[in-house]
Amino acid sequence: MPLTLVAARETADGERRTPLVPETAKKFAALGAKLRLESNASLESHFLDSDYADTEIKASLAETYAGADVILRVTPPSDEEIAALPDGAILIGLLKPYASKERLAALNAKKITAFALELLPRISRAQSMDALSSQGACSGYQCGLIAAARCTKFFPMLTTAAGTVRPARALVIGAGVAGLQAIATCKRLGAMVEAYDVRAAAKEQIESLGAKFVDTGVSAEGSGGYARELSAEEKAQQAEKLTKAIAAADVVITTASIPGRRAPIIVTKTMVERMKYGAIIVDLAAETGGNCELTQPGEHVVYDDVHIHGPLNLPSRMPTHASELYAKNLYNFLSPFIKDGELNIDWEDEVVAGTLLCKDGATIHPRVKELLGEA
């Protein structure tokens, strides 16, 4: 019996992405899978039901999930959606594995096999499946646009009849995928860009995009491509050099995060007080508390005439391309295990083992178990 693969409408506030786009639906169908979609599930991503060839369209969540083998999602399912999941089904998506012990318990009660793409190993073979990177690129791009739109100055240098206008100065803190995209976007828009990252390896990437690297003398190379947490002495040294760079900037974009933990505070209240009047901070890390001490997630606040913007779910602001990239990540993750319409997962595969969150009624991932107190 062929694999039944389904996607339903995302219900999280402000979520406009879809995990299944017409292109990947066609590819899954070519592998022999049976496709099912909740009616208008992709409408806010600007895909019509009629765009999905060889896909069964269902009117309700219950009809969509009934008898499903694999459920694709963007966000974690709500309690109501978990209740509708078929017992023993496979769930794949950005499941926020560290966020809720109760949600994990509900998934385990239904013996759901869940794969959280946030846990994907940082290895070369998994790059095409890396949803954090694809969605991070969307977020970084949006940060650059938000900064330019809210900045009190032109980003590019302009020569006018009234005289020459100097370009705005932008500082990007964090040079992961999102930070690099923010750097590139600010450069394209004409700003003078500086950037900082605690990982020494990021210096070359920053400079390759035409930005100037802010050297604080602190390096914090961590495992898996992430930065480690800094010591108190390193934080003090970092803060001294960064304070000067932040004070000179018209725009500061912050993107630093630590998986499973609150975002590190990098821009303190004291630093904000030294910034230019009318300067703006766009805090990409707002969803995990923010890199600025004064960030209010989802809000735009003003402190001492410095504007601090804490946007949430930035990829959802550009749902068409964000969905296409994300759906390809899902396809690249799942398709190697589908042959002639049958799903045969290799549980010893490094990508599978690293991404597996829970199975057979138990939480599997050791890092999640440790942080949620299940170890």
Side-chain angles (χ1 to χ4, degrees):
M1 192 170 181
L3 165 74
T4 300
L5 190 150
V6 311
R9 186 185 304 110
E10 296 287 328
T11 59
D13 288 344
E15 185 55 71
R16 301 168 62 205
R17 291 171 292 173
T18 181
L20 186 68
V21 300
E23 179 185 353
T24 55
K26 183 178 180 180
K27 289 182 176 181
F28 277 123
L31 295 175
K34 179 181 177 182
L35 279 296
R36 191 187 301 154
L37 185 72
E38 186 178 7
S39 180
N40 293 327
S42 304
L43 194 58
E44 290 200 75
S45 301
H46 306 289
F47 300 112
L48 303 175
D49 289 349
S50 58
D51 295 332
Y52 291 83
D54 302 317
T55 300
E56 189 178 11
I57 306 298
K58 291 294 185 180
S60 68
L61 178 70
E63 290 177 298
T64 304
Y65 280 172
D69 298 307
V70 176
I71 294 98
L72 303 181
R73 290 196 59 85
V74 177
T75 61
S78 65
D79 291 344
E80 178 187 358
E81 289 163 334
I82 292 175
L85 294 173
D87 289 359
I90 294 172
L91 177 68
I92 309 173
L94 291 168
L95 302 181
K96 298 183 179 179
Y98 306 108
S100 174
K101 190 172 183 177
E102 292 73 24
R103 180 166 57 234
L104 264 177
L107 292 173
N108 285 329
K110 302 206 73 173
K111 290 185 167 34
I112 300 297
T113 297
F115 293 98
L117 294 185
E118 296 96 326
L119 305 175
L120 194 77
R122 291 298 182 106
I123 58 176
S124 296
R125 184 166 66 85
Q127 287 181 354
S128 67
M129 315 167 195
D130 191 349
L132 289 182
S133 291
S134 73
Q135 303 307 288
C138 298
S139 295
Y141 173 74
Q142 285 291 321
C143 276
L145 298 183
I146 291 168
R150 292 180 177 269
C151 185
T152 61
K153 300 181 178 181
F154 283 114
F155 258 39
M157 183 176 72
L158 294 179
T159 301
T160 73
T164 300
V165 177
R166 291 180 58 79
R169 297 186 63 166
L171 171 66
V172 178
I173 299 175
V177 172
L180 292 173
Q181 188 59 243
I183 293 167
T185 302
C186 290
K187 284 294 293 183
R188 291 187 196 107
L189 293 172
M192 294 174 58
V193 184
E194 292 184 312
Y196 170 71
D197 195 287
V198 292
R199 297 168 300 136
K203 181 177 185 291
E204 184 178 343
Q205 294 174 302
I206 288 168
E207 292 177 343
S208 73
L209 293 172
K212 179 182 177 182
F213 180 70
V214 177
D215 190 355
T216 65
V218 174
S219 177
E221 297 287 350
S223 60
Y226 293 102
R228 64 172 173 83
E229 192 165 12
L230 300 178
S231 67
E233 293 79 10
E234 288 171 328
K235 287 179 180 178
Q237 182 178 340
Q238 176 198 56
E240 180 183 355
K241 297 289 182 68
L242 273 182
T243 296
K244 295 179 181 179
I246 290 169
D250 301 301
V251 165
V252 175
I253 296 173
T254 62
T255 70
S257 64
I258 301 172
R261 303 182 69 173
R262 191 206 184 281
I265 296 293
I266 297 173
V267 182
T268 64
K269 180 181 176 182
T270 302
M271 290 178 178
V272 173
E273 289 170 346
R274 292 186 58 180
M275 292 179 73
K276 298 176 182 179
Y277 269 34
I280 180 170
I281 297 171
V282 182
D283 195 340
L284 176 62
E287 293 204 33
T288 52
N291 295 141
C292 176
E293 185 178 356
L294 301 175
T295 295
Q296 295 294 322
E299 303 293 335
H300 181 93
V301 298
V302 181
Y303 177 81
D304 201 22
D305 202 41
V306 174
H307 295 247
I308 304 161
H309 193 56
L312 303 177
N313 197 0
L314 284 166
S316 199
R317 297 188 180 206
M318 47 184 300
T320 303
H321 276 169
S323 294
E324 287 178 346
L325 291 170
Y326 180 67
K328 289 175 183 177
N329 295 144
L330 289 170
Y331 176 80
N332 292 333
F333 176 81
L334 188 59
S335 60
F337 307 109
I338 303 175
K339 186 174 181 181
D340 298 326
E342 300 290 334
L343 181 64
N344 292 290
I345 295 176
D346 178 3
W347 300 102
E348 301 300 318
D349 182 274
E350 184 178 4
V351 170
V352 170
T355 312
L356 184 61
L357 175 60
C358 55
K359 183 176 184 284
D360 296 331
T363 302
I364 302 296
H365 197 276
R367 176 69 170 159
V368 175
K369 290 172 67 176
E370 176 187 351
L371 291 181
L372 294 184
E374 294 187 15

